[in-house]
Structures are given as C-alpha cells and as structure tokens.
C-alpha cells in the first residue's frame, strides 16, 4: 500500500477524525483492492466520468451536539464533586451502609448514563468518558463495601473488569486512560498487600512495583493494536516511566532504571518515525529528560559527570540526525 495513504490515515487518527480500527479497516480494504488488481491485470477499470461531480463541502459542526457533550461533562463532574464533598465532610459520621450507598449510587448513575448513550448511538466520546469515571467509582464503592486489604484487591478487580467491558464495547480513549490508572493502582495494591513479604523493605517493594509497571506497559501496548493506538502507546510509555521511577528507589537499581527509561522512549520514537504522532515524541523525550540525569547522577554522584554524559549523548544524536538527513537528501536526488 502506498506510504502516502499510511501517512494520511495516521494524520486523521492523530487529529481524532478517525479511530484506529477505522483506519485499519480502510488500510485493509485498500490492500485487498490492490491485491485483486494485481491478481487480475485484465480486469476492466471503471471509466472516469466526463464531468466529475464537485466535492461536497464538509458538514457543518453541530453546535447543539457540542453543547450536549459539554453539558454531559459538566454533569458528570458535578456529580463526582457532590460525592467527594459528601464523603469528605461526613465520612466520620456516615455509617457503613450510607458510605456504600453513596458510592454505589454515583457509579450506577455514571455507568447507566454511559450505557444509555451507547445504546442510542449518541455522543461516543461522552459515553466513554462517563463510563471511565463510573468504573473508577464502582471500584471505590466495592472497596468501601468490603474494606481492608481484601476490599482493595476486589475493588481493583471490579473496576478492571468493568473498564475491560467498556474498552471492548465503547472503544474510547477515556477508557484507555482509566485502564492505565486502574492497572497502576492495582500494581500498588498487589505490591503492598499481596506480593511484598512481611519482612520486606521499601526497596524490595519498589523492585516489585517496577516489574509490575513493565507488565502494565505491555498490556497498554497490546491494547494499542486494537484500540486508539496513539493514546494506548503513549500510556505504555508512561508506564515505563513509572517503572523507571520505581527502579530508581530500588537499591542498586540505577542500571535497570536506565535500561527501562531508554527502552520506552526508543520504542516511542520509533513509533513516531512511522506514525508521525507528536504524542510519542513528547512522552519519549520527557522520560529521557527525567530518567537519564537522575540515574546518571546516582551512578556517578557528580553533577559535572552527568552534564558531560548528556552533552555527549546529545552530540551523538545530533550527528546521527545530520548524517541521516544527508543520506536522505542524496537518495532523493
């Protein structure tokens, strides 16, 4: 398939005009058409009309639809604000049943509104945003109902199950953000309540959490193959960043932090080179700017050495840019 079509589809996905699965469907259809044409060279082509029709102007943006979406976001935010104020102001005075009822009611309202909008085929982005909030509130309500370590684990499991259904059904980027947040909380909960031994130290806990965030990055990368690729892969980079931070706390974890903090940005920058989505470059460079100086300082215990190392790395990268640009210019000539 021509790379020009690839670039155009990637641009439309990055701009939010198309979703990733729609772009993939168009790409597959184009590939099938080319394969059919190559398999049957004698197949007649449709004659172009003598007077091609004028392209229709793009439909005007519906201000009413935008207003509905904005009102929906405000409604969801106000509901969460009310629940937060009630729990903060009256948590000590509220009984167990009142606490459970408050969280459960908010979750039912958010998830119910998201489901109704999805069934009516209206406001896809708003539906996924309300569902994302509802999944998190449902997890909190479950934790309040059960309490203790078991409540935290079951709450994460419930929220994760609900958000998995939402990602499969609604396919919204908001749900991918919620998935990342729930998985991150799940890593911390499992690290503190399940995987850390009774005599474990903070450094051991950090190492376990660092490994968990690498698994989160792997899950988000896989989700990018079937859902919003830019959002999912950027969040995978964020998970690698979180893993690097955990390894920096781990005793003698600087090398692992450098390895993880280099592998993540390298993957994102390769993706940027192929997809031209600026989010990849922004997240990748942000990780490098935080992890490399910190890890190098822990290794050398010398600010001057860190600066020299960063200068050498930047010089090497800029030289590579000049060399590759020159080769590309010669190839174009």
């Amino acid at each position: 398939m021509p790379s020009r079509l690839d670039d155009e589809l990637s641009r439309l996905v990055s701009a939010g005009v198309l979703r990733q699965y729609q772009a993939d469907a168009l790409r597959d259809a184009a590939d099938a058409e080319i394969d059919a044409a190559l398999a049957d060279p004698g197949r007649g082509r449709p004659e172009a009309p003598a007077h091609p029709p004028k392209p229709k102007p793009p439909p005007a943006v519906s201000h009413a639809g935008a207003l509905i979406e904005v009102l929906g976001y405000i409604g969801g935010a106000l509901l969460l604000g009310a629940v937060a104020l009630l729990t903060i102001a009256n948590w000590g005075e509220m009984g167990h049943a009142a606490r459970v009822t408050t969280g459960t009611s908010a979750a039912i309202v958010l998830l119910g509104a998201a489901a109704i909008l999805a069934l009516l085929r209206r406001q896809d982005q708003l539906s996924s945003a309300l569902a994302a909030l509802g999944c998190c509130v449902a997890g909190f309500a479950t934790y309040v109902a059960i309490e203790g370590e078991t409540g935290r684990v079951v709450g994460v499991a419930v929220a994760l199950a609900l958000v998995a259904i939402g990602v499969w059904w609604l396919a919204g980027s908001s749900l991918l953000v919620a998935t990342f947040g729930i998985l991150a909380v799940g890593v911390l909960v499992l690290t503190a309540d399940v995987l850390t031994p009774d005599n474990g130290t903070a450094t051991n806990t950090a190492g376990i959490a660092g490994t968990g965030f690498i698994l989160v990055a792997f899950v988000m990368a896989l989700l990018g193959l079937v859902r919003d690729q830019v959002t999912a892969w950027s969040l995978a980079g964020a998970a690698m960043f979180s893993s690097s931070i955990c390894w920096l706390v781990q005793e003698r974890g600087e090398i692992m932090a450098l390895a993880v903090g280099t592998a993540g940005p390298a993957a994102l920058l390769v993706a940027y080179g192929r997809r031209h989505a600026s989010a990849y470059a922004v997240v990748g460079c942000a990780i490098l700017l935080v992890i490399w100086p910190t890890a190098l300082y822990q290794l050398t215990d010398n600010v001057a050495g860190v600066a020299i190392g960063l200068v050498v790395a930047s010089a090497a990268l800029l030289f590579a840019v000049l060399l590759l640009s020159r080769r590309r210019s010669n190839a174009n000539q």
Side-chain angles (χ1 to χ4, degrees):
M1 185 181 61
S3 59
R4 183 175 177 182
L5 180 57
D6 268 334
D7 295 340
E8 185 63 21
L9 290 175
S10 299
R11 185 186 67 79
L12 292 175
V13 171
S14 299
V17 178
L18 293 177
R19 293 184 180 177
Q20 187 60 46
Y21 73 90
Q22 293 172 325
D24 292 338
L26 291 174
R27 188 179 291 108
D28 293 340
D31 289 340
E33 186 67 21
I34 292 174
D35 293 340
L38 293 176
D40 187 10
R43 184 177 65 170
R45 296 182 180 178
E47 296 181 0
H51 300 286
K54 295 181 179 180
K56 295 181 180 180
V61 178
S62 174
H63 295 289
L67 178 60
I68 292 173
E69 187 165 351
V70 170
L71 292 177
Y73 288 132
I74 295 175
L78 291 177
L79 175 61
L80 285 182
V83 172
L85 288 175
L86 282 174
T87 53
I88 291 174
N90 304 303
W91 187 259
E93 301 175 1
M94 295 171 66
H96 182 73
R99 295 177 182 179
V100 175
T101 302
T102 301
T104 304
S105 300
I108 290 175
V109 171
L110 291 169
L111 293 175
I116 292 173
L117 288 174
L119 292 173
L120 294 177
R121 305 281 185 184
R122 296 289 188 273
Q123 305 296 333
D124 291 343
Q125 294 298 324
L126 175 58
S127 177
S128 64
L130 294 177
L133 295 175
C135 293
C136 297
V137 175
F140 172 74
T142 304
Y143 158 67
V144 171
I146 300 177
E147 297 182 340
E149 295 181 1
T150 304
R152 286 192 288 270
V153 174
V154 176
V156 169
V158 169
L160 191 58
L162 290 173
V163 82
I165 295 173
V167 169
W168 169 76
W169 183 21
L170 302 176
S173 57
S174 300
L175 285 159
L176 291 175
V177 176
T179 302
F180 171 77
I182 294 169
L183 286 174
V185 172
V187 167
L188 299 179
V189 168
L190 290 176
T191 300
D193 294 337
V194 179
L195 299 178
T196 301
D198 294 336
N199 59 348
T201 63
T203 54
N204 291 335
T205 301
I208 297 172
T211 304
F213 278 111
I214 293 177
L215 296 178
V216 173
F218 180 72
V219 171
M220 297 306 301
L222 291 181
L223 285 176
L225 299 178
V226 294
R227 288 296 180 258
D228 184 353
Q229 194 173 78
V230 174
T231 302
W233 286 8
S234 298
L235 291 172
M240 297 288 275
F241 173 73
S242 302
S243 176
S244 300
I245 295 296
C246 292
W247 283 109
L248 286 175
V249 180
Q250 173 77 12
E251 185 178 359
R252 300 183 182 277
E254 298 88 353
I255 300 299
M256 190 63 181
L258 273 177
V260 177
T262 303
L268 288 173
L269 294 176
V270 169
Y272 172 74
R274 297 182 62 86
R275 297 293 181 182
H276 302 290
S278 58
Y280 297 149
V282 171
V283 175
C285 291
I287 297 172
L288 288 176
L289 286 173
V290 173
I291 298 302
W292 275 37
T294 307
L296 288 176
Y297 179 75
Q298 289 190 4
L299 282 171
T300 63
D301 197 20
N302 189 325
V303 176
V306 174
I308 293 173
L310 294 179
V311 168
V312 172
S314 65
L317 290 174
L318 293 175
F319 178 76
V321 169
L322 294 174
L323 183 62
L324 293 173
S325 299
R326 184 175 180 181
R327 287 185 178 181
R328 184 174 181 180
S329 177
N330 293 335
N332 293 334
Q333 293 176 357

